[in-house]
Amino acid sequence: MDKRKEANLEVKRRIKDALYDLMAEKSFSEITVTDIIQRAGVARASYYRNYHSIEEILETAMRGVIREFEETADYDYTDYICYESVRHAFHFCLRYREHIMQLFQSGFSDMFLRILTEYVEVWAGDMPASSVESYQLYFFTGALYNTVYKWFENGVRESPEEMARMFCGLLQIE
């Protein structure tokens, strides 16, 4: 990778990290671009070269997490409704627990659900919009989203494997 691309990736990482740090300290509505660039140690021009809004930082970060999820799957992830997929999802969400909870606490849980659903739609491939499979996809994604949130809210007392077994049992997934 050339040095300019590497430098730009570093700027994006610093901006993202700065935003998450700030979200841990104050409400999202209080965070300004100035706060972010000062914390990240980057120029205002660098911020605006990469992002149009603070919300875009979060969306870009979540899409990166989803790409990483796919890249780390050690199973056929095109079969998204299976135990291995669910187990991987719980492990992965646990790894990003702090960031996911910050999204929930900042009123961006709908962004998490939307990005998760879009990604599962890509996994599932083409299907008629009103098909049973389409409704199954939305049911699965919503159930996973809400279960992860409740698991986090309850203090993550169960392991990802226990959660995957429970989730799959409830939905009768093998």
Side-chain angles (χ1 to χ4, degrees), residues 88-126:
H88 185 56
F90 278 105
H91 270 282
F92 210 78
C93 287
L94 182 57
R95 183 179 188 189
Y96 285 96
R97 176 184 180 192
E98 184 179 333
H99 291 170
I100 292 170
M101 287 306 291
Q102 286 173 324
L103 289 173
F104 278 102
Q105 292 161 353
S106 298
F108 289 97
S109 60
D110 60 323
M111 178 188 295
F112 177 62
L113 177 59
R114 180 176 45 81
I115 291 169
L116 179 63
T117 302
E118 287 171 4
Y119 203 74
V120 173
E121 286 174 336
V122 170
W123 284 347
D126 292 333

Side-chain angles (χ1 to χ4, degrees), residues 26-143:
K26 55 184 170 179
S27 73
F28 186 83
S29 62
E30 296 175 319
I31 299 171
T32 66
V33 171
T34 299
D35 293 334
I36 294 168
I37 62 173
Q38 286 177 347
R39 178 70 60 99
V42 301
R44 187 172 293 274
S46 295
Y47 172 88
Y48 284 111
R49 183 174 38 257
N50 291 290
Y51 301 105
H52 299 290
S53 68
I54 297 173
E55 291 83 358
E56 186 180 359
I57 301 167
L58 294 175
E59 186 160 340
T60 301
M62 287 308 301
R63 290 188 188 285
V65 167
I66 295 291
R67 273 191 307 280
E68 185 181 338
F69 174 82
E70 179 182 31
E71 291 168 0
T72 59
D74 57 356
Y75 56 91
D76 179 11
Y77 63 84
T78 56
D79 182 14
Y80 65 93
I81 301 180
C82 69
Y83 172 79
E84 285 304 315
S85 174
V86 172
R87 183 192 57 77
H88 185 56
F90 278 105
H91 270 282
F92 210 78
C93 287
L94 182 57
R95 183 179 188 189
Y96 285 96
R97 176 184 180 192
E98 184 179 333
H99 291 170
I100 292 170
M101 287 306 291
Q102 286 173 324
L103 289 173
F104 278 102
Q105 292 161 353
S106 298
F108 289 97
S109 60
D110 60 323
M111 178 188 295
F112 177 62
L113 177 59
R114 180 176 45 81
I115 291 169
L116 179 63
T117 302
E118 287 171 4
Y119 203 74
V120 173
E121 286 174 336
V122 170
W123 284 347
D126 292 333
M127 64 179 73
S130 63
S131 68
V132 171
E133 293 85 7
S134 175
Y135 288 115
Q136 181 183 31
L137 178 145
Y138 284 90
F139 177 82
F140 172 82
T141 306

